[in-house]
Amino acid sequence: MDRNPSPPCSDAEEEEGDAVGNTVYSKHWLFSVLTRLIEVIAPAEPDPAASPEGARTELDEEMENDICKVWDMSMDEDVALFLQEFNAPDIFMGVFAKSKCPRLTEICVGILGNMACFQDICMSISKDENLGQVLLQRLCDSDSPTLLETSRLLLTCLSQPEVANVWVERIRENPSVYDCVCFIMSSSTNVELLVKVGEVVDKLFDLDEELMLNWIKNGTCRSVGPSVDDSPEELPDFKIVPCILEAAKQVRSDNPEGLDVYMHILQLLTTVDEGIQAIVQAPDGGKDTWNLLYDLVCQELCQPDDPPIIVQEQKTVLASILSVLSAMFASQTEQEYTRMRKSKLCYFLLIRILQYMEGCGKRAVDNSKESEQEETGRTDVNEEDFHLKILKDICCELLSNMLQELTKENTLEGLHQGHLNEQTCSCAFQNLLPLYFASVESFLEVLREADQTLADNLEKRFPSLKVHT
């Protein structure tokens, strides 16, 4: 989508009292654009550019340029308040009801999205039940730009604590939202749209566990909003997990932030038993989820030639992925896919992350000393330490569970491939002890069968592990 035209040069300064608030924008000009907008959706005379049904499907160039200028101007609070006073939301309601022009619908939703950035206007928009229902119906639109602006508007409203619950309740009562969101996640190739829809879902799940549980259990409701041509449209029987995975696959290469969003959605699902079961009891038994996450961490994230600092950049997405893997491993230890390539995941990934984190920790200490007199700097370091600690805790929990499941064959494979040596084992033991003593002791027994010398060396470095006879 091209950048919107810049706001117009106004003659407001020449006409006293014509300026909108403290801006240089002209009230008269805004009035004229909104009046012409009303005429577009309710023309006094038939328009030769109209479709057979009598509604325009395209905007003329001048009208599009002017309404796009209003879109840009609406980012100013004074302009947004003026539009609110002029009942612009009601005009846009008419657009949504009568317009067959996707570009016009997109722009009007976009203007509302800008207006909703201001608290009082957001509360007014949110409390309008009719407008709220109409906006949710926009999620059933087939026009990607309109879907993007609708998602942006919803995210803005959900981010306002004063009205978030209004939208959560409204969405909970509209089964069509689930269907339409799942349809977008499972079928769209528009990365920008997928990221924004993902942010909406992530926010919804974070705000309301009941709604998340409803969506986990959903997939049989066939109630959907009207399609663009106003004919009923039945969508497939969607399940939330496959839709999330499909969207994650689309954004993984083009948008790291989007991948982070979808991994966090999966992590939120694992905070309830129903969510874990939805993942591991999918038709493929959770194999698709496991393989995607395994591939991400072993092929794309935190690679051997990456500098240690990369862990700080990837800490949130790594924490989400490892948290999901940990939940899956704990609930499905007998699944074939959790047994395959276990030693590589255990050593090549988890221990390497812990090694990288040691490097990050040293760097953080150095930075803290350098900025000892800078309060803001110390706050940033503490925040980094907090997120890295979360990642470390998740790493250690998953590693301890996997160590208890390793067999002699897994261990020999790790030794042969170079993933398992004294350095990596020492790193693992240092982080796991003393909290996960039983896991380390269990692994050491298996290691002793595979490499007695290595086991003896580790016992010398960690005296607490010596077998008591």
Side-chain angles (χ1 to χ4, degrees), residues 73-93:
M73 294 162 62
S74 62
M75 291 187 290
D76 186 287
E77 185 172 9
D78 285 336
V79 174
L81 288 170
F82 177 80
L83 292 173
Q84 177 76 2
E85 293 172 2
F86 193 69
N87 295 323
D90 291 339
I91 297 175
F92 299 153
M93 280 271 286

Side-chain angles (χ1 to χ4, degrees), residues 254-265:
D254 298 324
N255 195 299
E257 292 77 14
L259 179 63
D260 198 344
V261 168
Y262 279 98
M263 293 303 100
H264 189 254
I265 295 173

Side-chain angles (χ1 to χ4, degrees), residues 270-324:
T270 64
T271 61
V272 294
D273 290 339
E274 292 87 347
I276 297 174
Q277 294 308 309
I279 294 173
V280 300
Q281 292 184 359
D284 62 355
K287 184 177 180 180
D288 195 19
T289 303
W290 181 274
N291 286 344
L292 172 63
L293 303 187
Y294 179 94
D295 190 50
L296 284 170
V297 292
C298 288
Q299 303 298 330
E300 296 186 20
L301 302 173
C302 196
Q303 294 303 292
D305 56 348
D306 288 335
I309 195 66
I310 201 70
V311 170
Q312 287 194 4
E313 297 177 5
Q314 299 176 349
K315 59 184 177 295
T316 56
V317 68
L318 281 170
S320 294
I321 292 173
L322 295 181
S323 182
V324 178

Side-chain angles (χ1 to χ4, degrees), residues 226-444:
S227 62
V228 176
D229 60 1
D230 290 332
S231 61
E233 181 179 352
E234 184 172 307
L235 297 177
D237 186 13
F238 289 117
K239 301 294 184 183
I240 190 68
V241 173
C243 295
I244 294 170
L245 293 179
E246 188 60 38
K249 293 173 186 177
Q250 285 289 332
V251 305
R252 62 185 288 186
S253 300
D254 298 324
N255 195 299
E257 292 77 14
L259 179 63
D260 198 344
V261 168
Y262 279 98
M263 293 303 100
H264 189 254
I265 295 173
L266 284 177
Q267 183 183 10
L268 286 174
L269 292 182
T270 64
T271 61
V272 294
D273 290 339
E274 292 87 347
I276 297 174
Q277 294 308 309
I279 294 173
V280 300
Q281 292 184 359
D284 62 355
K287 184 177 180 180
D288 195 19
T289 303
W290 181 274
N291 286 344
L292 172 63
L293 303 187
Y294 179 94
D295 190 50
L296 284 170
V297 292
C298 288
Q299 303 298 330
E300 296 186 20
L301 302 173
C302 196
Q303 294 303 292
D305 56 348
D306 288 335
I309 195 66
I310 201 70
V311 170
Q312 287 194 4
E313 297 177 5
Q314 299 176 349
K315 59 184 177 295
T316 56
V317 68
L318 281 170
S320 294
I321 292 173
L322 295 181
S323 182
V324 178
L325 287 173
S326 183
M328 295 182 69
F329 188 82
S331 63
Q332 292 285 324
T333 54
E334 296 304 314
Q335 285 286 352
E336 180 63 26
Y337 60 76
T338 64
R339 296 196 295 267
M340 294 174 60
R341 301 175 292 180
K342 187 184 298 180
S343 63
K344 180 178 180 181
L345 178 61
C346 192
Y347 305 120
F348 185 67
L349 165 65
L350 298 176
I351 296 175
R352 186 173 73 242
I353 291 177
L354 292 173
Q355 288 175 318
Y356 281 11
M357 288 176 67
E358 289 179 357
C360 290
K362 293 176 182 178
R363 182 184 295 269
V365 170
D366 293 340
N367 290 341
S368 180
K369 291 179 179 179
E370 292 175 3
S371 60
E372 190 171 353
Q373 302 302 321
E374 300 177 12
E375 184 176 351
T376 302
R378 288 202 305 273
T379 301
D380 292 342
V381 171
N382 290 337
E383 184 177 352
E384 290 292 338
D385 288 346
F386 174 74
H387 289 294
L388 287 173
K389 184 181 183 302
I390 292 176
L391 176 57
K392 177 183 175 181
D393 291 345
I394 295 171
C395 258
C396 289
E397 180 180 3
L398 178 53
L399 183 56
S400 68
N401 289 334
M402 298 190 76
L403 285 178
Q404 293 187 79
E405 300 295 329
L406 287 181
T407 64
K408 180 180 178 180
E409 289 72 22
N410 296 142
T411 304
L412 287 170
E413 178 187 10
L415 290 166
H416 176 71
Q417 295 181 353
H419 302 148
L420 179 59
N421 52 47
E422 187 169 344
Q423 181 185 13
T424 57
C425 285
S426 295
C427 176
F429 289 6
Q430 183 175 343
N431 284 279
L432 293 175
L433 294 172
L435 184 60
Y436 297 103
F437 181 88
S439 296
V440 175
E441 190 176 44
S442 172
F443 168 67
L444 192 60

Side-chain angles (χ1 to χ4, degrees), residues 91-284:
I91 297 175
F92 299 153
M93 280 271 286
V95 171
F96 303 148
K98 299 179 181 179
S99 174
K100 299 294 182 180
C101 175
R103 178 60 172 161
L104 180 59
T105 301
E106 172 206 353
I107 295 169
C108 291
V109 177
I111 295 173
L112 278 175
N114 284 349
M115 294 172 64
C117 293
F118 306 104
Q119 182 177 339
D120 290 344
I121 300 177
C122 185
M123 292 181 66
S124 175
I125 292 173
S126 300
K127 291 179 180 179
D128 187 329
E129 186 62 29
N130 290 332
L131 180 58
Q133 295 295 338
V134 169
L135 288 172
L136 290 184
Q137 288 179 4
R138 291 301 96 208
L139 288 172
C140 300
D141 208 302
S142 62
D143 181 60
S144 291
T146 298
L147 290 171
L148 176 60
E149 293 306 318
T150 303
S151 302
R152 184 174 72 89
L153 170 58
L154 290 177
L155 184 62
T156 299
C157 294
L158 290 169
S159 300
Q160 297 268 7
E162 297 80 8
V163 299
N165 289 339
V166 173
W167 286 97
V168 169
E169 183 65 26
R170 188 173 287 149
I171 291 171
R172 191 190 296 132
E173 294 175 353
N174 280 269
S176 63
V177 175
Y178 171 88
D179 284 313
C180 294
V181 166
C182 284
F183 181 74
I184 293 168
M185 291 193 297
S186 63
S187 63
S188 178
T189 58
N190 185 318
V191 171
E192 189 178 7
L193 171 59
L194 288 172
V195 173
K196 193 59 64 177
V197 168
E199 290 175 342
V200 171
V201 174
D202 188 43
K203 191 68 175 178
L204 282 170
F205 286 3
D206 193 41
L207 285 170
D208 193 80
E209 184 176 296
E210 181 184 348
L211 184 143
M212 181 173 70
L213 288 169
N214 288 342
W215 283 25
I216 290 170
K217 299 171 184 176
N218 214 329
T220 58
C221 182
R222 297 278 49 84
S223 175
V224 299
S227 62
V228 176
D229 60 1
D230 290 332
S231 61
E233 181 179 352
E234 184 172 307
L235 297 177
D237 186 13
F238 289 117
K239 301 294 184 183
I240 190 68
V241 173
C243 295
I244 294 170
L245 293 179
E246 188 60 38
K249 293 173 186 177
Q250 285 289 332
V251 305
R252 62 185 288 186
S253 300
D254 298 324
N255 195 299
E257 292 77 14
L259 179 63
D260 198 344
V261 168
Y262 279 98
M263 293 303 100
H264 189 254
I265 295 173
L266 284 177
Q267 183 183 10
L268 286 174
L269 292 182
T270 64
T271 61
V272 294
D273 290 339
E274 292 87 347
I276 297 174
Q277 294 308 309
I279 294 173
V280 300
Q281 292 184 359
D284 62 355

